[in-house]
Amino acid sequence: MNFENNLAFAQALDQQDILREMRNEYLFPQQNGKPFIYLCGNSLGLQPKVAREVLEVQLNNWQNLAVEGWFEGNSPWMFYHKELKKLMAPIVGAKPAEVCPMNTLTVNLHLLMVSFYQPKAKRFKIIMEAGAFPSDQYAIESQVRFHGFDPKDAIIEVKPKEGEYTLRTEDIVKAIDDNAEEIALVLFGGINYFTGQWFDMPAITKAGHKAGAIVGFDLAHAAGNVPLQLHNWGVDFACWCSYKYQNAGPGGISGIFVHEKHFNTPLNRFAGWWGYNEAQRFKMEKGFIPEAGADGWQVSCTQVMPMALYHASLQLFKKAGFMDALRTKSKTLTAYLFYVINQLNTKLGEEQFKIITPQTEDDRGAQVSIIAKANGKKIFDELVVNNVLGDWREPNVIRLSPVPMYNSFEDVYRTGELLLTISQSIA
Ligand SMILES: *Cc1c(COP(=O)(O)O)cnc(C)c1O
């Protein structure tokens, strides 16, 4: 598409956008009586307007039914997660039996590693991206120690080439091939939180399996952002949070994926009563018998309030047609932000803003990470003062996420204009 850097053009794109009404389903934070242009959905998605109501429904159930709410009412809590599984499956490209909402993300990463990181004397290494989200680094490090290995020996980090910010697929595959005999687990982010790079998940999965390793993904920045095919790609396991692109609220419930090929393998797990075979759960007997599928990884009883929020948010994904239309809009919206930033550099006569997110649209989602040549933090602060909310990542990156669910082309255009004004006034 030939973009133009003017308001009329941006508004025309909004007119043609079949998802343009979706933003009316969300609440935008305000400052001085004006809504923010919100470009921070990669960190915490906006509140669906219906959120308050669905919480109220559950508060009423609790009030009116109390303990009977587990089995009575129009959505008994005992089976509440089943509705969610149906809505989660199309987000990550799984069968409903392969997904389950539970706990929070890092907790699930640990629980899944208990099952899927089974180091042996010779095959004990984990391969991951350098610069992974810190929580993942700590989780992996501590799992390695838990098994009596030294992270220095057991963790292989794939780094970008000198002078580059993102990883090349051939380097990831080569690292896997080179260490094929020793790798127990390949564990990558789906999308890197810092650069916004969407890794070639099918290629990584294929290479990991060829090496004889298990392959898992942390999809915190990918789920609800880009279309995924976890089942078809043969990914062994994955987990994600629901509060970034999936708008389920701070500390929202996490989701797990376990490929059905693992359903009948006896796997180590840290069990709890909620993972016990559902039909016999309340016999309260000794000896753990897992429920079939991903549900067998549940530990504690259903977190009804966070699940109600996730359910409400996923209904809006359903309304948007799940990932197809969202992805189509997202590609154009993010490409427009690239264009606007490049125009800005041209007008300023130098590369004031360096984009470190991949240039090719298949290698990125709805995030653009930029490094300002100078005054990065000052520029970021000025954006906020002027009602544009992105986020700042030390040491020098501004992340802007135009989210197709609720951002418009006008949002992107106005952000570019503001960046220009700020740059000219600071310089
Ligand atoms: C956001 C994010 C987390 C956060 O984990 P919580 O347990 O939900 O606090 C972990 N890993 C990655 C890759 C993330 O992007």
Side-chain angles (χ1 to χ4, degrees), residues 267-301:
L267 286 162
N268 235 7
R269 49 187 117 185
F270 283 175
W273 72 320
W274 227 254
Y276 196 91
N277 174 255
E278 190 182 288
Q280 304 171 64
R281 189 175 300 155
F282 289 96
K283 289 192 181 162
M284 316 295 235
E285 285 175 348
K286 244 184 115 57
F288 181 74
I289 303 169
E291 172 64 3
D295 291 16
W297 270 265
Q298 293 172 101
V299 178
S300 295
C301 67

Side-chain angles (χ1 to χ4, degrees), residues 104-107 133 135-136 193 218 220-221 241 243-244:
T104 42
L105 174 54
T106 311
V107 171
F133 194 85
S135 201
D136 299 41
Y193 79 102
D218 183 328
H221 286 268
C241 58
Y243 52 80
K244 290 174 180 164

Side-chain angles (χ1 to χ4, degrees), residues 22-34:
M22 292 306 302
R23 69 192 259 125
N24 300 328
E25 305 280 354
Y26 295 85
L27 295 163
F28 288 75
Q30 310 236 335
Q31 177 172 255
N32 305 325
K34 270 177 56 193

Side-chain angles (χ1 to χ4, degrees), residues 42-43 104-109 129 132-137 188-193 218-222 240-244 251-252 254 399:
N42 59 309
S43 188
T104 42
L105 174 54
T106 311
V107 171
N108 285 338
L109 199 55
E129 87 239 44
F133 194 85
S135 201
D136 299 41
Q137 296 183 37
F188 261 72
I191 290 184
N192 181 272
Y193 79 102
D218 183 328
L219 302 174
H221 286 268
W240 56 92
C241 58
S242 60
Y243 52 80
K244 290 174 180 164
S254 165
R399 296 188 300 180

